[in-house]
């Protein structure tokens, strides 16, 4: 008979895994910032337009890994180890899946199935909920699937909505993710609603540009345009909140080159 893993043993195993990951992330952080600096330097000296595009894409994908998010997530999992080791075990698995998806995007320019991107986004959201609790509620209304999308498109938009939409509100709010067919197009909308609570006016400008820790919608737009025919629009609806609309030409799974 196989020996069952006791809660205490499971907690110890999780703590050891966290310690190993912290060491790896310390090394990764140094590599991360060096790579971003090298990407910036490369953009300054490259003359060939194709090289410039590749260098900028690599820099943005590296930034997508966000060391502060990684550390915050590890701290949240560490706290869970003492109170709910089974939940901590699940969170650690989700963390590994998110990390794998983000790192894979650096070496992969191809589109991925929407279902894969959606699963990646859900894992990311649940990790953020470990930190913010009931300040973040996410609802899904997915009415179509089986199409291709650039990796990290939906996750980047949702992250943007959490940071600039919900986190600017004292009590957080709700993010609604909708996906609907529009003829030969697919329309994805991400709405961050915080009720009637107002947010700073400059938040809307900040949502479009990158900052040192987050990828802006401008980068998502560039990725959509370079990988496939697509658009992204940011609007604000009174009494609702921020609305990000992504439209892409529907390309079914199996038709990628």
């Amino acid at each position: 008979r196989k020996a069952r893993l006791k809660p205490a043993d499971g907690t110890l195993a999780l703590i050891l895994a966290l310690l190993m990951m912290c060491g790896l992330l310390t090394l990764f952080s140094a590599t991360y910032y060096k790579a971003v600096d090298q990407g910036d330097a490369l953009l300054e000296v490259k003359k060939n337009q194709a090289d410039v595009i590749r260098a900028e894409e690599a820099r943005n994908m590296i930034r997508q890994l966000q060391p502060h998010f990684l550390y915050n997530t590890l701290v949240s999992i560490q706290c869970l180890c003492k109170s709910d080791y089974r939940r901590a075990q699940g969170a650690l698995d989700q963390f590994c899946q998110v990390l794998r998806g983000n790192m894979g995007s650096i070496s992969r320019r191809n589109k991925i199935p929407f279902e894969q991107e959606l699963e990646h986004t859900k894992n990311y959201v649940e990790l953020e909920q470990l930190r913010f609790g009931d300040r973040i509620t996410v609802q899904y209304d997915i009415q179509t699937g089986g199409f291709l999308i650039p990796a990290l498109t939906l996750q980047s938009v949702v992250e943007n909505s959490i940071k600039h939409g919900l986190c600017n509100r004292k009590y957080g709010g709700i993010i609604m993710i909708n996906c609907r067919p529009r003829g030969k197009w697919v329309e994805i909308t991400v709405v961050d609603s915080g009720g009637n609570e107002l947010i700073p006016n400059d938040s809307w400008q900040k949502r479009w540009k990158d900052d040192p820790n987050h990828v802006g919608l401008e980068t998502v737009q560039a990725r959509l345009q370079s990988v496939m025919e697509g658009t992204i629009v940011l609007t604000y609806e009174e009494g609702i909140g921020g609305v990000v609309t992504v439209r892409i030409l529907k390309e079914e799974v199996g038709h990628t080159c």
Side-chain angles (χ1 to χ4, degrees):
R1 294 176 59 185
K2 293 183 179 180
R4 285 191 174 183
L5 185 66
K6 298 179 181 179
D9 295 334
T11 300
L12 178 60
L14 283 172
I15 291 175
L16 290 174
L18 287 170
L19 287 173
M20 291 177 62
M21 294 189 97
C22 284
L24 290 172
L25 287 175
T26 300
L27 178 62
F28 164 76
S29 294
T31 306
Y32 167 90
Y33 289 113
K34 181 179 179 181
V36 171
D37 290 340
Q38 288 176 341
D40 290 336
L42 186 61
L43 287 174
E44 294 294 329
V45 301
K46 286 293 184 181
K47 302 299 182 182
N48 184 281
Q49 183 64 26
D51 290 337
V52 171
I53 292 174
R54 283 194 294 270
E56 186 161 2
E57 286 179 347
R59 182 191 63 176
N60 290 332
M61 288 299 189
I62 291 169
R63 182 180 286 119
Q64 193 85 39
L65 292 171
Q66 309 166 31
H68 80 286
F69 164 73
L70 304 182
Y71 281 114
N72 289 337
T73 301
L74 284 174
V75 169
S76 297
I77 296 174
Q78 184 182 33
C79 294
L80 276 178
C81 285
K82 297 180 180 179
S83 59
D84 190 342
Y85 92 97
R86 292 193 185 279
R87 188 180 175 199
Q89 193 173 29
L92 187 59
D93 181 63
Q94 289 176 318
F95 176 76
C96 292
Q97 293 297 326
V98 168
L99 189 61
R100 181 184 303 168
N102 281 14
M103 294 186 71
S105 68
I106 296 176
S107 59
R108 180 182 63 236
R109 290 193 61 202
N110 292 337
K111 296 150 280 191
I112 64 174
F114 173 72
E115 289 75 10
Q116 183 178 334
E117 174 69 6
L118 181 62
E119 184 65 23
H120 178 75
T121 302
K122 288 181 177 179
N123 285 330
Y124 167 79
V125 166
E126 291 188 26
L127 290 175
E128 288 287 57
Q129 287 172 327
L130 286 179
R131 180 183 175 196
F132 294 106
D134 57 8
R135 288 183 62 196
I136 296 177
T137 300
V138 180
Q139 300 175 350
Y140 301 88
D141 181 13
I142 310 300
Q143 299 183 16
T144 188
F147 61 92
L148 297 169
I149 188 170
L152 303 184
T153 297
L154 180 59
Q155 187 268 331
S156 298
V157 173
V158 171
E159 180 212 333
N160 189 277
S161 294
I162 290 175
K163 184 194 179 211
H164 296 290
L166 302 193
C167 288
N168 279 326
R169 298 181 171 106
K170 182 178 180 180
Y171 299 106
I174 300 172
I175 290 180
M176 293 169 284
I177 301 174
N178 307 305
C179 181
R180 297 184 176 90
R182 301 293 188 204
K184 64 179 183 178
W185 296 83
V186 175
E187 183 178 275
I188 302 170
T189 58
V190 178
V191 183
D192 52 84
S193 172
N196 295 321
E197 189 176 351
L198 297 177
I199 65 172
N201 290 329
D202 63 349
S203 175
W204 302 103
Q205 286 74 37
K206 290 179 179 179
R207 292 184 72 153
W208 199 253
K209 298 292 183 180
D210 290 351
D211 65 34
N213 294 320
H214 294 271
V215 172
L217 297 179
E218 185 177 49
T219 295
V220 181
Q221 180 185 52
R223 192 183 304 155
L224 282 168
Q225 293 175 343
S226 67
V227 177
M228 67 191 308
E229 187 176 353
T231 61
I232 183 170
V233 177
L234 168 64
T235 58
Y236 174 73
E237 295 187 15
E238 192 69 32
I240 296 179
V243 181
V244 179
T245 303
V246 175
R247 284 175 60 90
I248 58 176
L249 193 62
K250 187 168 185 178
E251 183 178 339
E252 295 183 356
V253 175
H255 290 76
T256 185
C257 57

